[in-house]
Amino acid sequence: MSNASWSPPDASSVGSTLETFILEGMFQRPAATGAFTSLLNQIALAAKIITTRVRRAGLADVLGYTGDENVQGERVQKLDVIANDTLIASLRRRGHCAGLATEELVDPVFFANATGGYLVVADPLDGSSNIDVNISIGTIFGILRYERSAGPPTPQSFLRAGRELAAAGYVIYGSSTVLVLTTGKGVHGFTWDPSAGEFFLSHENIRCPEKGNSYSINEGNSAYYTEGVKRWNAWLKQPDKADGRPYSHRYVGSLVADAHRTLMKGGIFAYPADKKSPRGKLRLLYEASPMAFIFEAAGGKATTGRERVLDVVPEELHQRVPLVIGSLKDVEAYERIVGEIDD
Ligand code: FBP
């Protein structure tokens, strides 16, 4: 089979590991101190450990439930605990992280030895319902600056709007493991190379296409949708060649997987408020805000249906919020159609 059009990859991009990319200030953080770089490396280290556990899950008694329930009343998967413990252990080192709040912890943990000025929020393993069936899952995280002069951090220190994030990202454990990261300016993807033990730059300057042709929502909940969401859902399925409708329906049931596809290819993901989940299902602090921060940095948009997700100030650590993210034009269409009906 002749492959005349193929040419070897440009060697110059090889060598852009996550660490060098940050150190070379590619995240446009003139004031970047070693602390931020080191903190990101600790999160990357946790992702490396989690990806090895996920990839061997079927071989090492880590599938299934622990028998416990988390603060959300959901049954806890063994890998949820492993991912949570791995993040805690990794962030406890080096002292840059003063505290960590996660989906699996009722209250945040604080690191007494910390000297650094950062707090981390995380969903250690997102898409739990897909773990046992080998479908893509992920880790979602956000980084907040914390002024130590304000005294030791408390649970309230985490209750800050997403617009205050210093950085956010996710790791998708899919056909390959990719870490997507932003500090608000430029979104970049790094693919894990197990043979080198490193994340290498693979997707530089990711931009979410202005408009897509797929939508992602749990249609099994359609009986509970508001009238506005029902109208929007029907509109997406109406043929309109000029507008590229009907859209294709894509839903994995792992936020990280559905969001990653939407970020890369465009379109829209929605987990709106409905009669069954009047505040939506996804958690503001460590799912919706980090995702909104990434989509806005990539030129996309993120709304609750009523307001910008990044402007919502959490009242509680595990507060839920409606989440609609995606291509600018597709989210604007959602806001217009749903907004006309749902007051
Ligand atoms: P966790 O698995 O971290 O609890 O996340 C919630 C989640 O699984 C998201 O990843 C996903 O988008 C959503 O719930 C799926 O919910 P549903 O099964 O109701 O469609």
Side-chain angles (χ1 to χ4, degrees), residues 103 123 125-128 218 251 253-255 271 281 283 287:
E103 180 180 318
D123 179 356
L125 210 62
D126 170 68
S128 307
N218 183 340
Y251 192 72
S254 291
L255 170 61
Y271 210 113
K281 174 181 181 177
R283 280 48 61 123
E287 290 177 319

